[in-house]
Amino acid sequence: MKRLYVFAFFIPMLFQSQTFSEVSSNIKNFYYGSSDIGDFNNDGKPDVVYNGAIDNDADGNADITFNEIYSNNNGVFSAYGNLGIDVTHLGDIKFIDYNNDGLLDIVSTGLSYNNVVNYKHYRFLNNGTGFAKVEDTAGKIYGSIEVFDLNHDGKQDYAINGTQYVDGTGFVYDLSLYQNTVTGFQLNQLWLPGTQNGSFKVLDLNNDNLLDVVVFGYDENTNPVFKTYLNSNNGLQLSQTLLPLASGKMAYADFNGDGFLDLVAIGQDDNYDEYLGVFINDGTGQFAETEIPNEGLSASSVDVGDLNNDGYYDFIVIGDDANNDGVVNVFLYNTTSSSFTKASNTSLYNLGGTGNVRLFDYDGNNHLDVLMTGFDWADQDLNSFTKLYQNTSTAANLKPTAPANLNLTKTGNTFNFTWSGATDDKTPVNALQYEIKVGTTPGAQDVAKYVVTTPSWFLILDPSIQDVYWSVRSIDASKVYSEPSVEHTLSVDGFSSKTQLSIYPNPASEKIFIKGETASIVEMYSMDGKKLNVQLNSDQSITVSDLPKGMYILKIKIKDNWVNKKLMIK
């Protein structure tokens, strides 16, 4: 078997130790693998689904496309079931509960072999006893899938990036949106300019609760690009052009704990030089890039999480270095220097491209473990392996506390959710993420259930929904969930405002003004629940010039009711 090539901060010279111990995974050795983590059977333990190919006859060559689901039985994985013979590799796979029944379904894309080469896209419905294929359409290869709720209706949408062959047109590189319509999905084939051999993420870059997009890879002219698109009332608009990049992946996290999502990206630049860099968000969705020199990898993958249990996000990378050797490295965030240090003596085996790596706590001890797949270039047969490593850190990591201050207001069909009061023993409050669950009856999640990165969200629901039951769980940087908050309802927490109460400007730096109603009392809280000393001026304004940059909750009393608004100080 020949080696395959798919077309396509300054770091201190110090090392921190971070060790792992290999354990048996019972997961097949995948070639060209991609994977996702989720609890598909609702037993509270993270399960795995893999997209890829396997060497079925042990001759050293991948010869069959194979996708399989593995259930986690108290830290031991077993094959739950494969997804059929006509499945995909050189693509991606994701868990998604697209019908809000509480059971994780699956979407996949990639190259499928079944007598003839096909670019395929599938959806599989979890019926509680297995997965049934319910969608089989044209798909994309050399790309990826992301799941999100773009229009805030509580139903999970998804998008697929990559290259696709269209009869009469040839290869196209569009980023395609699949909008959840409850009864199916509406396809927007030309949602954004797409790429192959790259990565994209859908995330809230400026904490306005509108989802933005970051994408890199080879464009339709086979030139590497790296672009951000900010969402507004006018839709997604190109915001920033970053260092051209392809043949890699990116991930996001709030590395410095300032409340805004940053990026880490790895791959090759426009000179085909290996690259690794961190992109720090200034709070408006604009990034400042810092390269970590001589640590880039091609055909690479990256994931983020707190690996040494100090409360701050770290990251792990896998791929091929400039000598085409496989490399796996861990980079730990240094809070003193606000930079990353490469960990030494990790005991992780050096696998290479096309590599895939995932961080998750498979054994439930609140420490992030490593699951990775890639080629072993040191093996004379060039085999691909899947390896699972247990994090051997002894550092204590407690569950975060759940938010204690849940508030909900409703204007028309828009439900505005805010919360505060969550804490963690290690992770800064601003860096916590949250799982919000919303239902039409107590304990239900038939309206929405997904993870958001800000302590607020909004849903635009059908007019027939007048009240909801909701709760929130906080998530620390080690991906440990709190217990659910006390469930709240609209009738307890807020009132339906018939006016267009607003605060402006937002973001603000000097003063904010209240418009639409006369406030009698105002209160302001930081995101950790601390009440701040602010005064309501006679002109219905509040002076905020002495407050640090960040997100705040403003409580406004209108007659006998309280209204909650999210405010950003810049």
Side-chain angles (χ1 to χ4, degrees):
M1 178 179 175
K2 296 181 179 179
R3 182 173 300 191
L4 301 178
Y5 295 92
V6 178
F7 168 72
F9 306 166
F10 172 77
I11 183 167
M13 297 306 294
L14 301 171
F15 295 92
Q16 298 182 33
S17 179
Q18 175 66 46
T19 58
F20 301 87
S21 175
E22 186 173 4
V23 296
S24 175
S25 71
N26 297 321
I27 298 175
K28 285 184 170 59
N29 294 321
F30 283 91
Y31 292 77
Y32 321 112
S34 62
S35 61
D36 198 21
I37 310 298
D39 181 10
F40 77 86
N41 53 7
N42 290 326
D43 65 354
K45 302 176 183 63
D47 308 306
V48 179
V49 63
Y50 255 100
N51 168 301
I54 60 172
D55 179 4
N56 202 40
D57 54 11
D59 67 349
N61 290 276
D63 47 39
I64 182 172
T65 303
F66 189 78
N67 296 179
E68 191 157 51
I69 306 156
Y70 296 89
S71 61
N72 184 343
N73 302 296
N74 296 315
V76 178
F77 288 96
S78 59
Y80 175 81
N82 64 61
L83 296 176
I85 60 170
D86 185 16
V87 285
T88 58
H89 69 286
L90 286 178
D92 202 6
I93 195 162
K94 286 287 190 296
F95 284 116
I96 173 176
D97 181 11
Y98 63 79
N99 57 358
N100 281 3
D101 65 351
L103 298 173
L104 289 177
D105 312 303
I106 291 173
V107 292
S108 67
T109 191
L111 182 64
S112 182
Y113 286 118
N114 186 15
N115 298 322
V116 64
V117 175
N118 291 307
Y119 295 1
K120 302 297 289 187
H121 160 228
Y122 301 119
R123 281 197 298 273
F124 300 89
L125 177 67
N126 184 350
N127 57 27
T129 60
F131 287 81
K133 185 187 294 184
V134 295
E135 188 69 23
D136 179 342
T137 60
K140 302 173 186 287
I141 65 169
Y142 305 144
S144 54
I145 301 174
E146 292 296 323
V147 176
F148 47 88
D149 178 12
L150 184 67
N151 60 349
H152 292 259
D153 65 353
K155 307 298 182 184
Q156 291 187 319
D157 315 306
Y158 63 95
I160 303 179
N161 196 24
T163 185
Q164 183 175 14
Y165 184 79
V166 178
D167 287 338
T169 301
F171 291 97
V172 296
Y173 294 76
D174 302 313
L175 179 53
S176 300
L177 171 67
Y178 291 79
Q179 194 95 42
N180 194 331
T181 65
V182 182
T183 58
F185 287 87
Q186 179 178 336
L187 171 60
N188 180 352
Q189 184 76 48
L190 309 177
W191 185 41
L192 286 172
T195 61
Q196 76 164 35
N197 289 89
S199 185
F200 81 103
K201 296 295 177 185
V202 181
L203 66 168
D204 184 0
L205 292 176
N206 53 3
N207 290 358
D208 63 356
N209 290 164
L210 299 177
L211 292 177
D212 313 301
V213 178
V214 185
V215 60
F216 77 71
Y218 291 113
D219 67 10
E220 60 183 353
N221 298 312
T222 67
N223 294 319
V225 296
F226 194 169
K227 297 179 179 181
T228 67
Y229 297 84
L230 288 182
N231 203 344
S232 68
N233 293 331
N234 296 320
L236 288 163
Q237 303 292 327
L238 180 63
S239 173
Q240 188 177 12
T241 298
L242 299 168
L243 174 81
L245 204 61
S247 188
K249 290 290 186 285
M250 67 176 143
Y252 61 82
D254 180 7
F255 291 121
N256 56 7
D258 67 350
F260 297 96
L261 294 175
D262 311 306
L263 302 173
V264 55
I266 188 166
Q268 288 181 319
D269 63 20
D270 51 354
N271 292 317
Y272 298 99
D273 292 326
E274 284 71 24
Y275 173 88
L276 174 62
V278 176
F279 297 77
I280 299 298
N281 189 339
D282 70 356
T284 68
Q286 299 292 304
F287 292 98
E289 175 254 349
T290 304
E291 181 179 3
I292 300 178
N294 305 314
E295 298 293 351
L297 302 171
S298 62
S300 48
S301 179
V302 59
D303 203 4
V304 296
D306 179 13
L307 286 164
N308 60 353
N309 289 96
D310 66 349
Y312 286 82
Y313 282 93
D314 314 303
F315 63 87
I316 184 171
V317 295
I318 181 175
D320 298 337
D321 66 12
N323 296 318
N324 291 322
D325 293 323
V327 174
V328 176
N329 281 325
V330 168
F331 292 87
L332 304 175
Y333 185 73
N334 187 319
T335 57
T336 301
S337 61
S338 299
S339 62
F340 287 89
T341 301
K342 184 163 70 172
S344 62
N345 304 318
T346 64
S347 300
L348 296 171
Y349 194 83
N350 281 324
L351 296 178
T354 49
N356 176 256
V357 64
R358 289 288 178 265
L359 298 177
F360 72 121
D361 178 14
Y362 87 93
D363 54 1
N365 65 356
N366 295 359
H367 293 74
L368 284 177
D369 309 302
V370 178
L371 177 66
M372 62 182 185
T373 302
F375 281 108
D376 183 2
W377 297 127
D379 184 343
Q380 63 179 358
D381 294 324
L382 297 182
N383 284 312
S384 188
F385 293 103
T386 299
K387 291 180 176 289
L388 176 65
Y389 287 86
Q390 184 183 53
N391 191 331
T392 60
S393 172
T394 59
N397 180 36
L398 303 178
K399 283 185 178 182
T401 64
N405 306 313
L406 276 65
N407 291 282
L408 170 60
T409 60
K410 179 174 178 287
T411 302
N413 298 329
T414 301
F415 291 72
N416 293 286
F417 304 85
T418 61
W419 54 88
S420 62
T423 60
D424 186 66
D425 61 328
K426 302 286 183 63
T427 302
V429 170
N430 284 336
L432 292 175
Q433 298 187 8
Y434 303 92
E435 178 194 74
I436 180 171
K437 184 174 80 170
V438 185
T440 55
T441 58
Q445 59 182 53
D446 56 322
V447 174
K449 181 185 177 183
Y450 44 69
V451 172
V452 299
T453 57
T454 53
S456 59
W457 194 246
F458 72 88
L459 292 173
I460 304 174
L461 303 179
D462 186 275
S464 63
I465 300 177
Q466 293 298 311
D467 198 359
V468 295
Y469 297 83
W470 67 293
S471 62
V472 185
R473 292 200 292 172
S474 50
I475 310 168
D476 71 12
S478 294
K479 305 183 184 181
V480 178
Y481 286 66
S482 74
E483 297 299 321
S485 68
V486 174
E487 189 171 63
H488 282 229
T489 66
L490 176 66
S491 58
V492 172
D493 303 305
F495 77 104
S496 179
S497 174
K498 295 184 174 60
T499 64
Q500 295 298 314
L501 177 69
S502 63
I503 58 173
Y504 68 95
N506 190 8
S509 57
E510 299 294 333
K511 277 188 175 184
I512 60 167
F513 294 86
I514 300 171
K515 180 181 179 181
E517 285 279 6
T518 300
S520 58
I521 302 174
V522 295
E523 296 178 357
M524 186 175 291
Y525 295 83
S526 60
M527 299 320 311
D528 60 1
K530 181 181 179 181
K531 186 177 180 180
L532 306 175
N533 184 21
V534 297
Q535 298 292 327
L536 177 65
N537 302 320
S538 60
D539 60 354
Q540 293 284 289
S541 70
I542 304 167
T543 301
V544 296
S545 57
D546 58 341
L547 295 177
K549 180 179 75 172
M551 299 299 302
Y552 297 86
I553 299 298
L554 179 64
K555 297 181 66 174
I556 307 169
K557 189 172 185 180
I558 307 295
K559 298 179 181 178
D560 293 326
N561 299 295
W562 287 91
V563 179
N564 300 281
K565 294 287 185 178
K566 184 179 68 171
L567 173 67
M568 184 165 69
I569 305 299
K570 63 180 181 179

